[in-house]
Amino acid sequence: MKLTWTRKRLTLRHPWTLARGTSVSKEYWFVELEHDGITGLGEAAHNPRYGESLDSVEAFFSEAAPFLSTCSPGSFSQVSEQLDPMAGGQFAAKAAIDMALHDWAGKSIGVPLHRMLGIDPVGIPATAYSIGIGTGEEIRNKVRDAEEFSVLKIKLGGENDREIINAVRSVTDKPIRVDANEGWTDRELALKNIDWLSENQVEFVEQPLPAGRLDDMAWLKERSPLRLFADEDVRRPEHLLDLHGVYDGINIKLMKAGGIQPALRLIHGCRCLGMEIMLGCMIESSLGITAAAQLAPLVDYVDLDGNLLIAHDPFEGVSCSRGLLTLPNGSGLGVRPAGGGDMQ
Ligand code: MG
């Protein structure tokens, strides 16, 4: 297999603010994996939060390319596993290759990936739409703009959490989920915030405390009136046992897990442990989002809106109407360049 990689800049529709900072665009590496005239596509939406950068992703591709040139893409799950120990971390880069392997495999037999995995593409929960941190007026405008979505995910963990929730509740009574992105540094403060959120029709809270504070999370879970989901605290299947009893559910992302294979292992692990599953994303093009969406019928909550936050999506794949995702019928991931152009 021949691996090549190309860099693309994704411009965001609006500045995007989380507890850890603001961005106006994202620049990622995209891969092509070619063998026997068939090309699989992948995206590496790297995240500095996990020690990833454009340079580290490119370094991983340079290291993986000679190995991949000796592999057959037909054994895609073994190839994906063999890449795993190749570098510490770098899961976004591994996810890009893993999704390209799956895309290639589906295309080679002319079957959509979800069919190849035995997944019925119906019954996908409606995706939440994410609202970044902002002033009360900005929040009210964003909530009005998101009218078509039945569920909102509200980012908190900044300086004005209550102003944000009051602004949301001044314009809508639809269900909301809260993501603090590790922004509440103290467990008493987190409990106070969660108690208050429980009076404002919030479904659950994601990553209230900084990752790694599992003793504090166990304390919080015992007292929390709302269910608690791990995001930054969970990346890989091997993290799952530590989180059982500490969180009610986890947020699985292909870019954190290293692709479709480890994400499937996380899904099966959660089911064994009786934990709930959210399928989430980074800010990604429709390539990465469509790869994740192939697994969406297997989960309880969907948060796959990263492609909706960018202005000029270079790809087309999964479609979203009123928050309901429809998987493409094309073979493999079913993704193609926007406007029918070439990958370049
Ligand atoms: Mg999150």
Side-chain angles (χ1 to χ4, degrees), residues 272-309:
C272 290
L273 294 170
M275 296 176 78
E276 293 188 287
I277 305 166
M278 184 194 317
L279 187 61
C281 60
M282 307 298 179
I283 290 174
E284 302 168 28
S285 78
S286 280
L287 174 50
I289 297 296
T290 305
Q294 304 282 336
L295 307 182
L298 302 178
V299 307
D300 306 303
Y301 304 100
V302 171
D303 184 23
L304 293 177
D305 63 343
N307 56 336
L308 306 177
L309 304 177

PDB file of all heavy atoms in Angstrom, residues 272-309:
ATOM      1  N   CYS A 272     -20.356  -4.124  27.980  1.00  0.00           N
ATOM      2  CA  CYS A 272     -20.086  -5.147  28.999  1.00  0.00           C
ATOM      3  C   CYS A 272     -20.182  -4.559  30.398  1.00  0.00           C
ATOM      4  O   CYS A 272     -20.641  -5.225  31.331  1.00  0.00           O
ATOM      5  CB  CYS A 272     -18.680  -5.730  28.825  1.00  0.00           C
ATOM      6  SG  CYS A 272     -18.511  -6.758  27.375  1.00  0.00           S
ATOM      7  N   LEU A 273     -19.743  -3.315  30.576  1.00  0.00           N
ATOM      8  CA  LEU A 273     -19.686  -2.697  31.900  1.00  0.00           C
ATOM      9  C   LEU A 273     -20.971  -1.952  32.259  1.00  0.00           C
ATOM     10  O   LEU A 273     -21.075  -1.392  33.348  1.00  0.00           O
ATOM     11  CB  LEU A 273     -18.504  -1.714  31.961  1.00  0.00           C
ATOM     12  CG  LEU A 273     -17.117  -2.346  31.865  1.00  0.00           C
ATOM     13  CD1 LEU A 273     -16.046  -1.269  31.682  1.00  0.00           C
ATOM     14  CD2 LEU A 273     -16.817  -3.166  33.112  1.00  0.00           C
ATOM     15  N   GLY A 274     -21.933  -1.915  31.327  1.00  0.00           N
ATOM     16  CA  GLY A 274     -23.179  -1.198  31.597  1.00  0.00           C
ATOM     17  C   GLY A 274     -23.016   0.312  31.610  1.00  0.00           C
ATOM     18  O   GLY A 274     -23.772   1.016  32.267  1.00  0.00           O
ATOM     19  N   MET A 275     -22.004   0.812  30.878  1.00  0.00           N
ATOM     20  CA  MET A 275     -21.800   2.263  30.802  1.00  0.00           C
ATOM     21  C   MET A 275     -22.443   2.811  29.530  1.00  0.00           C
ATOM     22  O   MET A 275     -22.513   2.121  28.506  1.00  0.00           O
ATOM     23  CB  MET A 275     -20.297   2.589  30.801  1.00  0.00           C
ATOM     24  CG  MET A 275     -19.608   2.190  32.095  1.00  0.00           C
ATOM     25  SD  MET A 275     -17.819   2.466  32.041  1.00  0.00           S
ATOM     26  CE  MET A 275     -17.739   4.250  32.312  1.00  0.00           C
ATOM     27  N   GLU A 276     -22.899   4.067  29.600  1.00  0.00           N
ATOM     28  CA  GLU A 276     -23.522   4.690  28.431  1.00  0.00           C
ATOM     29  C   GLU A 276     -22.437   5.200  27.473  1.00  0.00           C
ATOM     30  O   GLU A 276     -21.297   5.448  27.876  1.00  0.00           O
ATOM     31  CB  GLU A 276     -24.417   5.846  28.870  1.00  0.00           C
ATOM     32  CG  GLU A 276     -25.628   5.377  29.666  1.00  0.00           C
ATOM     33  CD  GLU A 276     -26.589   6.503  29.916  1.00  0.00           C
ATOM     34  OE1 GLU A 276     -26.267   7.363  30.750  1.00  0.00           O
ATOM     35  OE2 GLU A 276     -27.657   6.523  29.286  1.00  0.00           O
ATOM     36  N   ILE A 277     -22.838   5.367  26.215  1.00  0.00           N
ATOM     37  CA  ILE A 277     -21.865   5.729  25.178  1.00  0.00           C
ATOM     38  C   ILE A 277     -22.325   6.958  24.408  1.00  0.00           C
ATOM     39  O   ILE A 277     -23.440   6.983  23.866  1.00  0.00           O
ATOM     40  CB  ILE A 277     -21.690   4.581  24.160  1.00  0.00           C
ATOM     41  CG1 ILE A 277     -21.308   3.281  24.867  1.00  0.00           C
ATOM     42  CG2 ILE A 277     -20.645   4.957  23.109  1.00  0.00           C
ATOM     43  CD1 ILE A 277     -21.455   2.055  23.984  1.00  0.00           C
ATOM     44  N   MET A 278     -21.427   7.948  24.361  1.00  0.00           N
ATOM     45  CA  MET A 278     -21.614   9.064  23.444  1.00  0.00           C
ATOM     46  C   MET A 278     -20.559   8.923  22.358  1.00  0.00           C
ATOM     47  O   MET A 278     -19.427   8.506  22.636  1.00  0.00           O
ATOM     48  CB  MET A 278     -21.412  10.393  24.187  1.00  0.00           C
ATOM     49  CG  MET A 278     -21.672  11.615  23.355  1.00  0.00           C
ATOM     50  SD  MET A 278     -21.049  13.145  24.126  1.00  0.00           S
ATOM     51  CE  MET A 278     -21.543  12.943  25.811  1.00  0.00           C
ATOM     52  N   LEU A 279     -20.933   9.221  21.121  1.00  0.00           N
ATOM     53  CA  LEU A 279     -19.970   9.218  20.021  1.00  0.00           C
ATOM     54  C   LEU A 279     -19.712  10.666  19.653  1.00  0.00           C
ATOM     55  O   LEU A 279     -20.632  11.362  19.186  1.00  0.00           O
ATOM     56  CB  LEU A 279     -20.531   8.436  18.837  1.00  0.00           C
ATOM     57  CG  LEU A 279     -19.600   8.188  17.664  1.00  0.00           C
ATOM     58  CD1 LEU A 279     -18.377   7.369  18.062  1.00  0.00           C
ATOM     59  CD2 LEU A 279     -20.361   7.465  16.535  1.00  0.00           C
ATOM     60  N   GLY A 280     -18.486  11.139  19.884  1.00  0.00           N
ATOM     61  CA  GLY A 280     -18.184  12.542  19.672  1.00  0.00           C
ATOM     62  C   GLY A 280     -17.130  12.752  18.601  1.00  0.00           C
ATOM     63  O   GLY A 280     -16.774  11.827  17.861  1.00  0.00           O
ATOM     64  N   CYS A 281     -16.634  13.977  18.510  1.00  0.00           N
ATOM     65  CA  CYS A 281     -15.686  14.316  17.439  1.00  0.00           C
ATOM     66  C   CYS A 281     -14.867  15.520  17.846  1.00  0.00           C
ATOM     67  O   CYS A 281     -15.176  16.199  18.819  1.00  0.00           O
ATOM     68  CB  CYS A 281     -16.448  14.633  16.154  1.00  0.00           C
ATOM     69  SG  CYS A 281     -17.598  16.025  16.318  1.00  0.00           S
ATOM     70  N   MET A 282     -13.819  15.772  17.102  1.00  0.00           N
ATOM     71  CA  MET A 282     -13.121  17.055  17.150  1.00  0.00           C
ATOM     72  C   MET A 282     -13.807  17.946  16.107  1.00  0.00           C
ATOM     73  O   MET A 282     -14.775  17.534  15.473  1.00  0.00           O
ATOM     74  CB  MET A 282     -11.640  16.863  16.790  1.00  0.00           C
ATOM     75  CG  MET A 282     -10.920  15.804  17.612  1.00  0.00           C
ATOM     76  SD  MET A 282     -10.898  16.206  19.369  1.00  0.00           S
ATOM     77  CE  MET A 282     -10.022  14.788  20.021  1.00  0.00           C
ATOM     78  N   ILE A 283     -13.274  19.151  15.869  1.00  0.00           N
ATOM     79  CA  ILE A 283     -13.688  19.877  14.670  1.00  0.00           C
ATOM     80  C   ILE A 283     -13.009  19.148  13.525  1.00  0.00           C
ATOM     81  O   ILE A 283     -11.780  19.032  13.486  1.00  0.00           O
ATOM     82  CB  ILE A 283     -13.291  21.357  14.751  1.00  0.00           C
ATOM     83  CG1 ILE A 283     -14.155  22.043  15.820  1.00  0.00           C
ATOM     84  CG2 ILE A 283     -13.450  22.028  13.385  1.00  0.00           C
ATOM     85  CD1 ILE A 283     -13.779  23.462  16.108  1.00  0.00           C
ATOM     86  N   GLU A 284     -13.810  18.580  12.621  1.00  0.00           N
ATOM     87  CA  GLU A 284     -13.298  17.729  11.548  1.00  0.00           C
ATOM     88  C   GLU A 284     -14.087  18.020  10.271  1.00  0.00           C
ATOM     89  O   GLU A 284     -15.207  18.510  10.343  1.00  0.00           O
ATOM     90  CB  GLU A 284     -13.499  16.234  11.898  1.00  0.00           C
ATOM     91  CG  GLU A 284     -12.829  15.806  13.185  1.00  0.00           C
ATOM     92  CD  GLU A 284     -13.278  14.420  13.663  1.00  0.00           C
ATOM     93  OE1 GLU A 284     -13.650  13.584  12.821  1.00  0.00           O
ATOM     94  OE2 GLU A 284     -13.252  14.178  14.875  1.00  0.00           O
ATOM     95  N   SER A 285     -13.525  17.647   9.140  1.00  0.00           N
ATOM     96  CA  SER A 285     -14.277  17.737   7.888  1.00  0.00           C
ATOM     97  C   SER A 285     -15.277  16.580   7.835  1.00  0.00           C
ATOM     98  O   SER A 285     -15.311  15.714   8.716  1.00  0.00           O
ATOM     99  CB  SER A 285     -13.323  17.643   6.695  1.00  0.00           C
ATOM    100  OG  SER A 285     -12.946  16.283   6.499  1.00  0.00           O
ATOM    101  N   SER A 286     -16.060  16.535   6.771  1.00  0.00           N
ATOM    102  CA  SER A 286     -17.023  15.444   6.604  1.00  0.00           C
ATOM    103  C   SER A 286     -16.346  14.088   6.423  1.00  0.00           C
ATOM    104  O   SER A 286     -17.010  13.060   6.538  1.00  0.00           O
ATOM    105  CB  SER A 286     -17.939  15.708   5.395  1.00  0.00           C
ATOM    106  OG  SER A 286     -18.942  16.619   5.769  1.00  0.00           O
ATOM    107  N   LEU A 287     -15.041  14.080   6.152  1.00  0.00           N
ATOM    108  CA  LEU A 287     -14.345  12.793   6.046  1.00  0.00           C
ATOM    109  C   LEU A 287     -14.296  12.106   7.416  1.00  0.00           C
ATOM    110  O   LEU A 287     -14.775  10.975   7.577  1.00  0.00           O
ATOM    111  CB  LEU A 287     -12.936  13.021   5.478  1.00  0.00           C
ATOM    112  CG  LEU A 287     -11.990  11.828   5.409  1.00  0.00           C
ATOM    113  CD1 LEU A 287     -12.652  10.621   4.759  1.00  0.00           C
ATOM    114  CD2 LEU A 287     -10.715  12.208   4.645  1.00  0.00           C
ATOM    115  N   GLY A 288     -13.740  12.776   8.405  1.00  0.00           N
ATOM    116  CA  GLY A 288     -13.655  12.186   9.747  1.00  0.00           C
ATOM    117  C   GLY A 288     -15.028  11.968  10.361  1.00  0.00           C
ATOM    118  O   GLY A 288     -15.266  10.950  11.025  1.00  0.00           O
ATOM    119  N   ILE A 289     -15.940  12.908  10.150  1.00  0.00           N
ATOM    120  CA  ILE A 289     -17.281  12.797  10.742  1.00  0.00           C
ATOM    121  C   ILE A 289     -18.029  11.608  10.135  1.00  0.00           C
ATOM    122  O   ILE A 289     -18.724  10.862  10.838  1.00  0.00           O
ATOM    123  CB  ILE A 289     -18.080  14.110  10.529  1.00  0.00           C
ATOM    124  CG1 ILE A 289     -17.398  15.274  11.255  1.00  0.00           C
ATOM    125  CG2 ILE A 289     -19.531  13.943  10.976  1.00  0.00           C
ATOM    126  CD1 ILE A 289     -17.332  15.163  12.764  1.00  0.00           C
ATOM    127  N   THR A 290     -17.886  11.400   8.826  1.00  0.00           N
ATOM    128  CA  THR A 290     -18.584  10.277   8.193  1.00  0.00           C
ATOM    129  C   THR A 290     -18.013   8.946   8.663  1.00  0.00           C
ATOM    130  O   THR A 290     -18.756   7.969   8.844  1.00  0.00           O
ATOM    131  CB  THR A 290     -18.511  10.382   6.654  1.00  0.00           C
ATOM    132  OG1 THR A 290     -19.017  11.657   6.272  1.00  0.00           O
ATOM    133  CG2 THR A 290     -19.329   9.291   5.982  1.00  0.00           C
ATOM    134  N   ALA A 291     -16.694   8.894   8.887  1.00  0.00           N
ATOM    135  CA  ALA A 291     -16.091   7.660   9.416  1.00  0.00           C
ATOM    136  C   ALA A 291     -16.691   7.334  10.777  1.00  0.00           C
ATOM    137  O   ALA A 291     -17.078   6.191  11.047  1.00  0.00           O
ATOM    138  CB  ALA A 291     -14.574   7.824   9.508  1.00  0.00           C
ATOM    139  N   ALA A 292     -16.793   8.336  11.652  1.00  0.00           N
ATOM    140  CA  ALA A 292     -17.376   8.107  12.982  1.00  0.00           C
ATOM    141  C   ALA A 292     -18.848   7.722  12.871  1.00  0.00           C
ATOM    142  O   ALA A 292     -19.333   6.824  13.582  1.00  0.00           O
ATOM    143  CB  ALA A 292     -17.215   9.357  13.840  1.00  0.00           C
ATOM    144  N   ALA A 293     -19.561   8.388  11.960  1.00  0.00           N
ATOM    145  CA  ALA A 293     -21.013   8.154  11.841  1.00  0.00           C
ATOM    146  C   ALA A 293     -21.336   6.707  11.466  1.00  0.00           C
ATOM    147  O   ALA A 293     -22.432   6.219  11.759  1.00  0.00           O
ATOM    148  CB  ALA A 293     -21.612   9.109  10.805  1.00  0.00           C
ATOM    149  N   GLN A 294     -20.380   6.021  10.855  1.00  0.00           N
ATOM    150  CA  GLN A 294     -20.616   4.605  10.503  1.00  0.00           C
ATOM    151  C   GLN A 294     -20.917   3.774  11.753  1.00  0.00           C
ATOM    152  O   GLN A 294     -21.557   2.728  11.673  1.00  0.00           O
ATOM    153  CB  GLN A 294     -19.387   4.018   9.791  1.00  0.00           C
ATOM    154  CG  GLN A 294     -18.927   4.766   8.558  1.00  0.00           C
ATOM    155  CD  GLN A 294     -19.769   4.503   7.315  1.00  0.00           C
ATOM    156  OE1 GLN A 294     -20.422   3.473   7.220  1.00  0.00           O
ATOM    157  NE2 GLN A 294     -19.754   5.428   6.380  1.00  0.00           N
ATOM    158  N   LEU A 295     -20.442   4.253  12.937  1.00  0.00           N
ATOM    159  CA  LEU A 295     -20.654   3.525  14.198  1.00  0.00           C
ATOM    160  C   LEU A 295     -21.838   4.083  14.997  1.00  0.00           C
ATOM    161  O   LEU A 295     -22.175   3.548  16.056  1.00  0.00           O
ATOM    162  CB  LEU A 295     -19.388   3.587  15.068  1.00  0.00           C
ATOM    163  CG  LEU A 295     -18.077   3.146  14.414  1.00  0.00           C
ATOM    164  CD1 LEU A 295     -16.932   3.220  15.425  1.00  0.00           C
ATOM    165  CD2 LEU A 295     -18.195   1.734  13.853  1.00  0.00           C
ATOM    166  N   ALA A 296     -22.451   5.168  14.509  1.00  0.00           N
ATOM    167  CA  ALA A 296     -23.464   5.875  15.297  1.00  0.00           C
ATOM    168  C   ALA A 296     -24.691   5.025  15.657  1.00  0.00           C
ATOM    169  O   ALA A 296     -25.282   5.237  16.719  1.00  0.00           O
ATOM    170  CB  ALA A 296     -23.892   7.154  14.571  1.00  0.00           C
ATOM    171  N   PRO A 297     -25.102   4.047  14.819  1.00  0.00           N
ATOM    172  CA  PRO A 297     -26.262   3.240  15.232  1.00  0.00           C
ATOM    173  C   PRO A 297     -25.992   2.407  16.494  1.00  0.00           C
ATOM    174  O   PRO A 297     -26.926   1.881  17.086  1.00  0.00           O
ATOM    175  CB  PRO A 297     -26.507   2.323  14.017  1.00  0.00           C
ATOM    176  CG  PRO A 297     -25.906   3.044  12.857  1.00  0.00           C
ATOM    177  CD  PRO A 297     -24.699   3.737  13.427  1.00  0.00           C
ATOM    178  N   LEU A 298     -24.731   2.285  16.911  1.00  0.00           N
ATOM    179  CA  LEU A 298     -24.380   1.435  18.059  1.00  0.00           C
ATOM    180  C   LEU A 298     -24.396   2.184  19.388  1.00  0.00           C
ATOM    181  O   LEU A 298     -24.195   1.563  20.434  1.00  0.00           O
ATOM    182  CB  LEU A 298     -22.973   0.844  17.868  1.00  0.00           C
ATOM    183  CG  LEU A 298     -22.735   0.004  16.612  1.00  0.00           C
ATOM    184  CD1 LEU A 298     -21.273  -0.454  16.564  1.00  0.00           C
ATOM    185  CD2 LEU A 298     -23.665  -1.200  16.588  1.00  0.00           C
ATOM    186  N   VAL A 299     -24.593   3.512  19.374  1.00  0.00           N
ATOM    187  CA  VAL A 299     -24.366   4.284  20.607  1.00  0.00           C
ATOM    188  C   VAL A 299     -25.658   4.916  21.126  1.00  0.00           C
ATOM    189  O   VAL A 299     -26.694   4.916  20.451  1.00  0.00           O
ATOM    190  CB  VAL A 299     -23.284   5.366  20.388  1.00  0.00           C
ATOM    191  CG1 VAL A 299     -22.017   4.749  19.818  1.00  0.00           C
ATOM    192  CG2 VAL A 299     -23.790   6.498  19.507  1.00  0.00           C
ATOM    193  N   ASP A 300     -25.580   5.471  22.348  1.00  0.00           N
ATOM    194  CA  ASP A 300     -26.750   6.060  22.997  1.00  0.00           C
ATOM    195  C   ASP A 300     -26.937   7.538  22.651  1.00  0.00           C
ATOM    196  O   ASP A 300     -28.056   8.024  22.570  1.00  0.00           O
ATOM    197  CB  ASP A 300     -26.611   5.934  24.526  1.00  0.00           C
ATOM    198  CG  ASP A 300     -26.363   4.499  24.949  1.00  0.00           C
ATOM    199  OD1 ASP A 300     -27.199   3.643  24.603  1.00  0.00           O
ATOM    200  OD2 ASP A 300     -25.330   4.220  25.592  1.00  0.00           O
ATOM    201  N   TYR A 301     -25.823   8.257  22.507  1.00  0.00           N
ATOM    202  CA  TYR A 301     -25.875   9.697  22.253  1.00  0.00           C
ATOM    203  C   TYR A 301     -24.872  10.039  21.163  1.00  0.00           C
ATOM    204  O   TYR A 301     -23.761   9.504  21.150  1.00  0.00           O
ATOM    205  CB  TYR A 301     -25.521  10.491  23.520  1.00  0.00           C
ATOM    206  CG  TYR A 301     -26.402  10.141  24.692  1.00  0.00           C
ATOM    207  CD1 TYR A 301     -25.946   9.274  25.685  1.00  0.00           C
ATOM    208  CD2 TYR A 301     -27.690  10.656  24.802  1.00  0.00           C
ATOM    209  CE1 TYR A 301     -26.751   8.936  26.757  1.00  0.00           C
ATOM    210  CE2 TYR A 301     -28.507  10.323  25.863  1.00  0.00           C
ATOM    211  CZ  TYR A 301     -28.028   9.455  26.844  1.00  0.00           C
ATOM    212  OH  TYR A 301     -28.832   9.116  27.893  1.00  0.00           O
ATOM    213  N   VAL A 302     -25.290  10.925  20.262  1.00  0.00           N
ATOM    214  CA  VAL A 302     -24.428  11.308  19.145  1.00  0.00           C
ATOM    215  C   VAL A 302     -24.089  12.790  19.244  1.00  0.00           C
ATOM    216  O   VAL A 302     -24.973  13.619  19.504  1.00  0.00           O
ATOM    217  CB  VAL A 302     -25.128  10.994  17.800  1.00  0.00           C
ATOM    218  CG1 VAL A 302     -24.336  11.580  16.635  1.00  0.00           C
ATOM    219  CG2 VAL A 302     -25.285   9.490  17.632  1.00  0.00           C
ATOM    220  N   ASP A 303     -22.828  13.074  19.042  1.00  0.00           N
ATOM    221  CA  ASP A 303     -22.355  14.465  19.054  1.00  0.00           C
ATOM    222  C   ASP A 303     -21.400  14.630  17.881  1.00  0.00           C
ATOM    223  O   ASP A 303     -20.198  14.793  18.058  1.00  0.00           O
ATOM    224  CB  ASP A 303     -21.672  14.741  20.403  1.00  0.00           C
ATOM    225  CG  ASP A 303     -21.251  16.193  20.530  1.00  0.00           C
ATOM    226  OD1 ASP A 303     -21.835  17.048  19.841  1.00  0.00           O
ATOM    227  OD2 ASP A 303     -20.321  16.466  21.309  1.00  0.00           O
ATOM    228  N   LEU A 304     -21.939  14.517  16.685  1.00  0.00           N
ATOM    229  CA  LEU A 304     -21.123  14.537  15.470  1.00  0.00           C
ATOM    230  C   LEU A 304     -21.476  15.776  14.645  1.00  0.00           C
ATOM    231  O   LEU A 304     -22.120  15.680  13.593  1.00  0.00           O
ATOM    232  CB  LEU A 304     -21.332  13.251  14.654  1.00  0.00           C
ATOM    233  CG  LEU A 304     -20.817  11.970  15.317  1.00  0.00           C
ATOM    234  CD1 LEU A 304     -21.135  10.756  14.447  1.00  0.00           C
ATOM    235  CD2 LEU A 304     -19.307  12.043  15.582  1.00  0.00           C
ATOM    236  N   ASP A 305     -21.043  16.911  15.140  1.00  0.00           N
ATOM    237  CA  ASP A 305     -21.366  18.169  14.461  1.00  0.00           C
ATOM    238  C   ASP A 305     -20.119  18.933  14.032  1.00  0.00           C
ATOM    239  O   ASP A 305     -20.224  20.076  13.592  1.00  0.00           O
ATOM    240  CB  ASP A 305     -22.224  19.051  15.381  1.00  0.00           C
ATOM    241  CG  ASP A 305     -21.472  19.440  16.656  1.00  0.00           C
ATOM    242  OD1 ASP A 305     -20.459  18.780  16.963  1.00  0.00           O
ATOM    243  OD2 ASP A 305     -21.891  20.392  17.322  1.00  0.00           O
ATOM    244  N   GLY A 306     -18.925  18.311  14.172  1.00  0.00           N
ATOM    245  CA  GLY A 306     -17.676  19.038  13.895  1.00  0.00           C
ATOM    246  C   GLY A 306     -17.614  19.603  12.481  1.00  0.00           C
ATOM    247  O   GLY A 306     -17.058  20.679  12.259  1.00  0.00           O
ATOM    248  N   ASN A 307     -18.205  18.878  11.508  1.00  0.00           N
ATOM    249  CA  ASN A 307     -18.173  19.358  10.119  1.00  0.00           C
ATOM    250  C   ASN A 307     -19.112  20.540   9.906  1.00  0.00           C
ATOM    251  O   ASN A 307     -18.927  21.330   8.976  1.00  0.00           O
ATOM    252  CB  ASN A 307     -18.529  18.227   9.152  1.00  0.00           C
ATOM    253  CG  ASN A 307     -19.875  17.595   9.454  1.00  0.00           C
ATOM    254  OD1 ASN A 307     -20.376  17.656  10.594  1.00  0.00           O
ATOM    255  ND2 ASN A 307     -20.480  16.962   8.470  1.00  0.00           N
ATOM    256  N   LEU A 308     -20.118  20.674  10.783  1.00  0.00           N
ATOM    257  CA  LEU A 308     -21.080  21.764  10.624  1.00  0.00           C
ATOM    258  C   LEU A 308     -20.506  23.094  11.107  1.00  0.00           C
ATOM    259  O   LEU A 308     -21.080  24.149  10.847  1.00  0.00           O
ATOM    260  CB  LEU A 308     -22.368  21.453  11.403  1.00  0.00           C
ATOM    261  CG  LEU A 308     -23.015  20.095  11.080  1.00  0.00           C
ATOM    262  CD1 LEU A 308     -24.233  19.866  11.968  1.00  0.00           C
ATOM    263  CD2 LEU A 308     -23.398  20.023   9.603  1.00  0.00           C
ATOM    264  N   LEU A 309     -19.368  23.022  11.796  1.00  0.00           N
ATOM    265  CA  LEU A 309     -18.760  24.238  12.353  1.00  0.00           C
ATOM    266  C   LEU A 309     -17.736  24.850  11.394  1.00  0.00           C
ATOM    267  O   LEU A 309     -17.179  25.895  11.677  1.00  0.00           O
ATOM    268  CB  LEU A 309     -18.089  23.919  13.696  1.00  0.00           C
ATOM    269  CG  LEU A 309     -18.988  23.275  14.771  1.00  0.00           C
ATOM    270  CD1 LEU A 309     -18.177  22.954  16.028  1.00  0.00           C
ATOM    271  CD2 LEU A 309     -20.165  24.175  15.125  1.00  0.00           C
TER     272      LEU A 309
END
